[in-house]
């Protein structure tokens, strides 16, 4: 495939940064939008070959026109800075006006369209609204749906994916998910970029208008804890329970977690919705076989990320007899 010019936004986020790295490596010209150059990832991407950083606000129409001018491709993952729906529409309009030939949008489902009893997850439903707009304006597009990031796990006191360190060196993960129902997983930093690059290479003739689940494994919470236990050589317990919010979080995220606990927890709705849930790893594995599984993540990456957050548990040795344990508290 000849050298292309590709646009990314929020480029120091996990999905976009993963793609910027691989696009740069194959010699594509990358226009990487960021709000600023603060942070390690922004500094790293700024120093990559073939990457031009565009600092600016996505609410600015002139900035968007400059960003997309003469670009052939775009990988767009919007975030919750500002009005995500308005920004998503403006990005799509600017891309269409510039003649972008293939637009890959990172979307998520609105569960309420499948079942009136399923509450929409607010931060996901906004992306689905943008996806529908992109379809309506006729932009040549593909829609990727990302599974749960391995990188969400932390022993810091954050809700939903906290691996809580115990006094004996073991970990407990408490979440509302049923312990025996599989969930879709991927290592966002390692695997989003190669998969998206392959979709671009195969083009809109194959992928135009399609929704693609980016998940490389389907694991139950019990299986996730078993993989972590093997990777860390420590005991890991899964506890099904309510989402504990022990630190300040934005009101919008709190509402999102409440809906998630009900829809994906109590009602066990399929993560991607029923249409993408069947064989949800099949397409991703066709796109990219070199994925990093969750045991490798736990062994090779999780301790490094924890150390970068100032934690030292990995220096204190391993507990004996690594295994997964279950602890059921309440009904979710």
């Amino acid at each position: 495939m000849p050298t292309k010019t590709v646009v990314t936004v929020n480029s120091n986020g996990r999905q976009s940064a993963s793609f910027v790295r691989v696009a740069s490596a194959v010699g594509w010209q990358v226009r990487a939008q960021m709000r600023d150059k603060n942070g390690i990832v922004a500094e790293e991407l700024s120093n990559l070959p073939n990457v031009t950083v565009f600092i600016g606000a996505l609410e600015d129409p002139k900035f968007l026109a400059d960003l997309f001018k003469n670009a052939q491709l775009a990988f767009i993952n919007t975030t919750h800075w500002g009005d995500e729906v308005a920004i998503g529409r403006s990005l799509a309009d600017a891309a269409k006006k510039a003649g972008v030939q293939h637009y890959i949008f990172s979307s998520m489902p609105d569960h309420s369209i499948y079942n009136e009893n399923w509450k929409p997850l607010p931060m996901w439903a906004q992306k689905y609204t943008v996806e529908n707009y992109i379809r309506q304006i006729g932009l040549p597009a593909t829609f990727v749906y990302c599974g749960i990031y391995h990188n969400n796990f932390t022993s810091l006191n954050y809700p939903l994916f906290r691996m809580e360190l115990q006094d004996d060196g073991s970990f407990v993960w408490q979440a509302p998910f049923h312990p025996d129902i599989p969930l879709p997983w991927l290592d966002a930093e390692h695997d989003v970029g190669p998969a998206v690059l392959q979709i671009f290479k195969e083009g809109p003739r194959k992928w135009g208008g399609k929704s693609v689940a980016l998940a490389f494994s389907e694991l139950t919470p019990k299986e996730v804890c078993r993989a972590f236990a093997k990777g860390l050589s420590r005991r890991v317990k899964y506890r099904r329970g309510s989402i504990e919010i022990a630190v300040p979080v934005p009101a919008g995220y709190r509402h999102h977690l409440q809906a998630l606990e009900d829809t994906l927890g109590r009602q066990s709705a399929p993560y991607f919705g029923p249409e993408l849930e069947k064989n949800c790893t099949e397409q991703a594995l066709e796109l990219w076989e070199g994925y990093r599984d969750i045991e490798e993540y736990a062994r090779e990456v999780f301790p490094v990320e924890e150390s970068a957050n100032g934690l030292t548990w990995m220096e204190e040795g391993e507990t004996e007899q690594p295994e997964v344990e279950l602890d059921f508290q309440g009904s979710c």
Side-chain angles (χ1 to χ4, degrees):
M1 186 176 187
T3 297
K4 296 289 187 177
T5 297
V6 59
V7 170
T8 62
V9 301
N10 303 307
S11 301
N12 44 350
R14 291 192 189 273
Q15 289 187 39
S16 295
S18 177
F19 174 71
V20 170
R21 293 182 186 108
V22 296
S24 165
V26 298
W28 289 9
Q29 298 301 310
V30 182
R31 296 178 185 169
Q33 180 272 342
M34 303 179 192
R35 291 182 176 270
D36 55 54
K37 287 189 178 181
N38 297 333
I40 295 173
V41 175
E43 181 179 355
E44 173 209 345
L45 299 184
S46 300
N47 291 320
L48 290 178
N50 310 311
V51 175
T52 303
V53 173
F54 281 63
I55 300 297
L58 298 177
E59 296 86 351
D60 180 352
K62 184 179 184 306
F63 174 76
L64 293 187
D66 292 339
L67 182 66
F68 283 102
K69 185 177 180 180
N70 298 323
Q72 294 87 32
L73 308 171
F75 174 48
I76 303 299
N77 181 31
T78 54
T79 65
H80 312 295
W81 286 90
D83 185 335
E84 184 170 7
V85 172
I87 289 171
R89 288 172 173 165
S90 295
L91 285 162
D93 288 339
K96 185 176 182 183
K97 187 174 181 180
V100 166
Q101 299 163 11
H102 195 180
Y103 191 90
I104 298 181
F105 180 72
S106 183
S107 190
M108 287 303 280
D110 178 348
H111 283 83
S112 67
I113 70 170
Y114 300 109
N115 186 320
E116 63 181 9
N117 295 318
W118 292 349
K119 296 178 182 177
L121 279 61
M123 291 182 173
W124 293 4
Q126 293 181 91
K127 291 182 178 294
Y128 189 73
T129 298
V130 174
E131 174 184 334
N132 283 334
Y133 180 77
I134 294 168
R135 292 182 183 276
Q136 289 166 10
I137 67 172
L139 188 59
T142 305
F143 305 93
V144 294
Y145 283 54
C146 285
I148 304 171
Y149 299 0
H150 301 168
N151 320 74
N152 283 344
F153 284 107
T154 176
S155 66
L156 295 173
N157 198 16
Y158 295 149
L160 189 56
F161 292 103
R162 184 186 183 193
M163 280 286 181
E164 184 178 358
L165 182 64
Q166 307 299 297
D167 290 341
D168 63 0
S170 66
F171 287 97
V172 172
W173 173 33
Q174 177 169 315
F177 308 118
H178 191 287
D180 295 310
I181 293 180
L183 297 166
W185 299 88
L186 88 161
D187 190 305
E189 291 189 354
H190 189 269
D191 300 320
V192 168
V196 169
L197 182 74
Q198 189 62 29
I199 293 173
F200 276 133
K201 287 183 174 181
E202 295 178 358
R205 285 191 177 182
K206 179 173 181 178
W207 295 107
K210 293 187 178 179
S211 299
V212 181
L214 288 189
F216 294 89
S217 60
E218 290 183 277
L219 301 173
T220 68
K222 287 195 297 186
E223 290 169 333
V224 168
C225 288
R226 188 172 294 116
F228 257 84
K230 290 176 67 177
L232 297 176
S233 296
R234 291 169 181 258
R235 288 178 292 117
V236 180
K237 176 190 295 184
Y238 180 66
R239 175 186 297 150
R240 190 183 189 193
S242 298
I243 299 172
E244 295 183 347
I245 302 177
V247 295
V249 298
Y253 185 47
R254 184 180 292 271
H255 295 154
H256 181 85
L257 291 174
Q258 290 168 346
L260 183 151
E261 183 167 321
D262 182 66
T263 299
L264 301 187
R266 293 185 184 92
Q267 301 194 63
S268 297
Y271 187 87
F272 288 134
E275 292 181 357
L276 280 181
E277 199 69 14
K278 297 176 183 178
N279 302 317
C280 76
T281 62
E282 187 174 312
Q283 288 178 313
L285 291 169
E286 289 178 2
L287 291 165
W288 170 238
E289 295 181 347
Y291 68 97
R292 180 159 59 200
D293 66 23
I294 203 160
E295 181 184 334
E296 181 183 355
Y297 167 78
R299 183 177 63 250
E300 303 294 340
V301 182
F302 183 66
V304 175
E305 292 183 337
E306 292 280 276
S307 178
N309 287 326
L311 302 166
T312 60
W313 57 261
M314 67 292 297
E315 300 171 5
E316 298 168 3
E318 302 172 345
T319 57
E320 296 180 356
Q321 297 178 334
E323 58 188 40
V324 60
E325 299 179 359
L326 292 178
D327 183 6
F328 297 95
Q329 292 191 350
S331 58
C332 289

